[in-house]
Each structure stands twice: as structure tokens, then as C-alpha cells.
């Protein structure tokens, strides 16, 4: 049972090293002071959790629900040597501080069911992967810490999957992404979720001096979800790029928030997120660029484009720029619209059927994001998924 009468009982059942138990206990104290998400909180005002009851999720998914493949050194936190575990938990410190008032990340920090430390290699052709599944239980709370290789290119793919089930399930996790000095980290995330899944994620990255970080995100399915993708650009000379896509249908609801905090000068960041929404699905995108007054020579841009395939579909775009510095260049743009009838007419005049024309427009709209995924296998998977979800019955 996950929700024991007290956190101390839960920790005792896990039989973990004392330093890991202490980490959980400290997170539990913060959780006790955090406000459970409701529409009064700015980041949660678009999503209703009135039918979410945390007490209903007690059957923890087994250890086999997290699988690893590819060339990476992956170790359960509880199996790390004491000195290494202490070092890894210190790396979690900035993330715990950042989410010190966020209920779901703190819930994961205190109650994580699966926790792994991942050390990536320097082979740019290698695509190590972790898959998180929720099918033999109704709750999974993974905590992942991923260390990229310094001075070289690293790839990492994180998958979240769940089937459609009769009863609702909960997937909530925290992923920490560490890009060392001169590192070049390409992170990819795929979410393929059943229509009975509540999903809440927080992904927190830290970039050190002269590093590159590229995140490719694709999320579809699920019942209701809120995802935070946060990066602290902590070193000078950094380059940061987020691209993402969400093809939603039926009554799926998804709320995606990307936040980039520039902490040092001489850096570049950009966000491109595109959604295609059909039937009665609803997507909310929030992009937040924060540049404090001491930062100089910073360029930042965020673009969000949304394509509606039905009049009943909804997409909302909330761009935010918090710029307190003078010597910076920032831009933002957002569009929400239906397929252009003039485009359909033009393609029809070239002998292309309406069905094929719609397919071409949707694929062209999303391909700019798809082609930035570093794995050819994943690009092919996404193209097939887009065709079946957005253009099939």
C-alpha cells in the first residue's frame, strides 16, 4: 500500500539507506505546507481536479514497470554506495528548492516508488531509453536523475506508456536533467497514454557553462494532465532549445508549461510547441521566459502554433515574458486556427482530394517539430502516430 498512515511507516517498509529516508522525510515536511493544486493557483487555473482523489491510488506498479535499454549506466538510488548516493541527492537540491511549493513534485520526492540514477556515455550514436509503464497497478511515481557526459554529445529517451483501463490510474514523476560544462545533451520524451490516465510531470534541467541542451517532446492520449518542463540556464554561453508536439483527440485534456530561467549572461534559448486538436480535445500551452536584470546579451524566443480540426476542439496559448534586463532580445508568437480553406482549394485545383490535402497540411504543420527528434526510429514512429490519430477514425 502506498499511502501508509504516516511517511515514517512507508519509509520503514522500503528498507532504504538512512540518508535516502532523510531526503524523503524533508520532502514530506515541505509537502505538508504545500497547497494542493486548485484553480486559485496561476499554473493550475486551467485544469480541474475536482474528480481526482489521491486516496484512491494505493496499488503501486511493480519494479518491472520501469525498464532500461541501451548504453547507459543505470542504478537504483537505494543501491548506490553511500558516498555516491550523498553526491546524487545533493544534485537534487536545486530541484527540491525550485518545487518547494509544488504539491505533485513534492509528493514524488517524498513517496517515489521507483528511483534511478542514470549516467550517460559519450557515444553520439547511442540512444539509451527508460520506459515507465502503468498497467499492473494504479499508481507509479518515478524519480529519475540523468547525468549527461561532459564535453561530448549525449542522447536520452524517456517513454511513458499506459493502456486504457476501466478504472483511473495515476502517473506522476520528476526527472532531473544535468548538462555539465561543454556538454551537448539531446533529451527526448514520448508520452503515449490511455484515456484513463491522470498524468502529472515535472522535468527540471540545469545547464552549466558553454553547454547545449535540446529537448524534443511528444505527448498524446491521457485523461487529464499537467506537465512542467523547466530549465535553469545556470552557466554563461549556453544554448537551450525546446520543441514539442501534442496531437489530441476525443476528450483528452493536456496542460503543458515550459519555463526557462536565464541565470547567466551570453546565452540563447528558444521554444517551439505545436498542437493539433480534434473532436472535443483541449490543450493549454504556457511558455515562460525569465531574464533577471544582471543578465546581458541574451536572446530568447517562444512560438506556439495550434491547429484545430473541429469546431468543438480547443487550444489556448499563454505566452509570458519576464524580462528585467536591458541588453537582451526577446520575441514571442502564438496562433490558433483551423485548416485554411484557401489551402484546401489550392490543393484541390492540383487534383488532390480533400482527405489527402488535410493529411498533407497536418503532417506539414507538425513535421517541423518531428524532424528535430534525433532518432530516425522515433521520427518514423511519430509520423505513423500522427497519421493514425489525426487522420484516422
Amino acid at each position: 500500500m502506498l499511502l501508509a498512515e504516516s511517511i515514517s511507516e512507508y519509509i520503514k517498509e522500503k528498507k532504504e539507506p538512512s540518508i535516502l529516508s532523510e531526503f524523503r522525510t524533508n520532502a514530506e515536511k515541505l509537502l505538508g505546507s504545500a497547497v494542493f493544486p486548485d484553480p486559485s493557483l496561476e499554473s493550475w487555473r486551467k485544469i480541474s481536479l475536482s474528480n481526482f482523489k489521491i486516496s484512491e491510488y494505493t496499488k503501486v506498479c511493480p519494479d518491472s514497470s520501469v525498464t532500461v535499454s541501451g548504453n547507459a549506466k543505470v542504478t537504483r538510488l537505494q543501491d548506490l554506495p553511500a558516498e555516491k548516493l550523498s553526491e546524487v541527492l545533493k544534485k537534487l537540491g536545486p530541484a527540491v528548492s525550485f518545487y518547494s511549493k509544488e504539491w505533485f513534485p513534492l509528493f514524488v520526492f517524498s513517496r517515489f516508488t521507483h528511483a534511478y540514477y542514470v549516467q550517460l556515455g559519450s557515444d553520439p550514436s547511442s540512444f539509451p531509453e527508460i520506459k515507465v509503464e502503468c498497467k499492473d497497478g494504479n499508481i507509479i511515481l518515478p524519480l529519475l536523475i540523468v547525468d549527461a557526459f561532459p564535453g561530448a554529445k549525449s542522447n536520452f529517451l524517456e517513454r511513458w506508456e499506459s493502456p486504457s483501463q476501466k478504472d483511473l490510474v495515476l502517473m506522476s514523476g520528476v526527472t532531473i536533467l544535468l548538462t555539465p560544462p561543454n556538454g551537448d545533451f539531446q533529451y527526448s520524451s514520448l508520452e503515449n497514454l490511455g484515456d484513463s490516465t491522470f498524468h502529472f510531470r515535472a522535468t527540471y534541467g540545469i545547464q552549466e557553462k558553454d553547454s547545449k541542451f535540446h529537448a524534443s517532446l511528444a505527448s498524446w492520449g491521457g485523461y487529464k494532465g499537467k506537465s512542467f518542463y523547466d530549465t535553469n540556464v545556470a552557466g554563461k554561453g549556453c544554448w537551450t532549445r525546446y520543441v514539442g508536439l501534442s496531437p489530441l483527440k476525443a476528450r483528452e485534456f493536456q496542460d503543458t508549461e515550459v519555463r526557462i530561467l536565464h541565470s547567466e549572461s551570453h546565452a540563447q534559448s528558444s521554444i517551439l510547441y505545436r498542437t493539433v486538436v480534434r473532436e472535443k480535445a483541449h490543450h493549454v500551452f504556457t511558455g515562460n521566459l525569465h531574464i533577471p536584470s544582471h543578465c546581458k546579451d541574451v536572446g530568447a524566443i517562444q512560438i506556439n502554433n495550434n491547429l484545430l480540426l473541429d469546431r468543438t476542439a480547443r487550444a489556448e496559448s499563454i505566452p509570458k515574458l519576464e524580462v528585467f534586463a536591458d541588453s537582451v532580445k526577446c520575441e514571442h508568437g502564438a496562433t490558433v486556427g483551423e485548416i485554411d480553406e484557401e489551402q484546401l482549394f489550392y490543393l484541390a485545383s492540383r487534383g488532390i482530394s480533400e482527405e489527402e490535402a488535410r493529411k498533407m497540411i497536418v503532417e506539414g504543420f507538425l513535421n517541423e517539430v518531428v524532424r528535430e527528434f534525433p532518432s530516425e526510429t522515433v521520427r518514423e514512429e511519430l509520423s505513423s502516430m500522427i497519421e493514425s490519430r489525426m487522420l484516422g477514425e
Side-chain angles (χ1 to χ4, degrees):
M1 182 173 179
L2 175 65
L3 298 178
E5 291 183 2
S6 69
I7 186 61
S8 59
E9 292 180 14
Y10 176 64
I11 291 173
K12 186 177 180 180
E13 292 175 3
K14 298 292 285 186
K15 298 179 180 179
E16 293 173 336
S18 59
I19 188 174
L20 195 55
S21 299
E22 182 180 351
F23 173 83
R24 286 186 186 270
T25 301
N26 291 336
E28 178 73 11
K29 292 176 181 177
L30 293 173
L31 178 65
S33 301
V35 177
F36 186 81
D38 64 49
S40 68
L41 301 175
E42 176 64 22
S43 288
W44 294 88
R45 63 189 178 91
K46 294 291 184 176
I47 179 172
S48 172
L49 297 181
S50 59
N51 64 333
F52 177 81
K53 302 293 186 292
I54 189 64
S55 59
E56 296 177 357
Y57 305 96
T58 59
K59 187 180 179 183
V60 180
C61 294
D63 289 347
S64 59
S65 299
V66 177
T67 55
V68 182
S69 61
N71 182 25
K73 184 178 180 181
V74 182
T75 311
R76 295 192 307 172
L77 288 194
Q78 64 195 60
D79 295 334
L80 288 171
E83 186 174 345
K84 185 64 177 179
L85 177 57
S86 177
E87 176 188 322
V88 170
L89 291 180
K90 285 181 180 179
K91 294 181 179 183
L92 284 173
V96 175
S97 178
F98 186 82
Y99 296 123
S100 61
K101 296 181 180 180
E102 283 286 352
W103 197 92
F104 277 104
L106 291 172
F107 187 67
V108 174
F109 285 136
S110 62
R111 311 291 177 93
F112 56 82
T113 60
H114 303 68
Y116 293 87
Y117 174 59
V118 182
Q119 292 176 284
L120 301 178
S122 60
D123 181 2
S125 63
S126 175
F127 288 88
E129 174 183 320
I130 277 188
K131 180 190 290 186
V132 178
E133 295 181 283
C134 186
K135 60 182 181 180
D136 295 321
N138 70 358
I139 182 170
I140 187 167
L141 307 172
L143 172 60
L144 306 176
I145 304 99
V146 186
D147 243 334
F149 199 85
K153 180 176 286 187
S154 301
N155 296 302
F156 183 69
L157 172 61
E158 183 177 357
R159 288 182 183 269
W160 280 40
E161 295 185 359
S162 65
S164 294
Q165 303 182 45
K166 178 182 178 181
D167 298 318
L168 293 170
V169 301
L170 170 62
M171 301 182 77
S172 182
V174 177
T175 301
I176 311 300
L177 305 170
L178 305 172
T179 308
N182 299 298
D184 186 348
F185 188 4
Q186 293 196 331
Y187 167 75
S188 301
S189 174
L190 304 183
E191 292 182 350
N192 178 8
L193 305 175
D195 59 12
S196 53
T197 302
F198 276 110
H199 51 112
F200 306 106
R201 291 189 62 186
T203 301
Y204 182 78
I206 301 177
Q207 279 185 261
E208 298 187 50
K209 185 178 179 181
D210 296 323
S211 65
K212 294 181 178 180
F213 175 73
H214 184 287
S216 307
L217 316 171
S219 181
W220 63 96
Y223 172 53
K224 288 183 182 179
K226 171 74 180 183
S227 298
F228 293 101
Y229 296 98
D230 302 304
T231 290
N232 179 5
V233 186
K236 292 183 178 180
C238 289
W239 179 89
T240 309
R241 171 75 166 166
Y242 274 91
V243 296
L245 61 90
S246 293
L248 304 182
K249 65 176 185 176
R251 293 180 177 272
E252 296 164 359
F253 178 92
Q254 191 173 111
D255 188 326
T256 305
E257 189 161 350
V258 179
R259 301 180 290 196
I260 299 179
L261 168 63
H262 285 272
S263 300
E264 286 289 352
S265 302
H266 312 297
Q268 302 289 322
S269 71
S270 61
I271 301 169
L272 172 63
Y273 206 99
R274 289 188 171 175
T275 68
V276 178
V277 192
R278 62 181 290 193
E279 298 165 348
K280 294 185 178 181
H282 184 184
H283 187 272
V284 179
F285 175 82
T286 303
N288 195 325
L289 298 171
H290 180 88
I291 305 175
S293 59
H294 68 271
C295 288
K296 309 297 179 184
D297 186 28
V298 172
I301 184 171
Q302 60 166 299
I303 302 293
N304 174 224
N305 307 117
N306 304 276
L307 184 62
L308 307 180
L309 300 187
D310 295 291
R311 293 291 177 90
T312 53
R314 294 181 61 191
E316 300 179 62
S317 186
I318 309 172
K320 296 181 180 180
L321 297 176
E322 298 176 324
V323 181
F324 303 95
D326 295 324
S327 181
V328 299
K329 182 179 180 181
C330 296
E331 301 176 46
H332 72 83
T335 60
V336 179
E338 301 175 353
I339 288 180
D340 192 333
E341 292 296 328
E342 291 186 5
Q343 289 181 319
L344 291 176
F345 178 79
Y346 174 81
L347 293 171
S349 70
R350 296 298 187 270
I352 299 172
S353 68
E354 181 176 346
E355 181 181 356
E356 185 63 23
R358 286 179 174 274
K359 176 182 177 181
M360 292 173 63
I361 292 170
V362 170
E363 289 179 342
F365 179 75
L366 292 177
N367 272 347
E368 186 174 349
V369 173
V370 171
R371 64 171 175 252
E372 289 201 35
F373 280 76
S375 166
E376 182 178 355
T377 301
V378 170
R379 292 195 297 269
E380 293 175 352
E381 177 184 343
L382 291 175
S383 295
S384 177
M385 175 274 296
I386 290 166
E387 181 174 357
S388 64
R389 284 199 121 241
M390 295 294 99
L391 305 167
E393 294 298 327

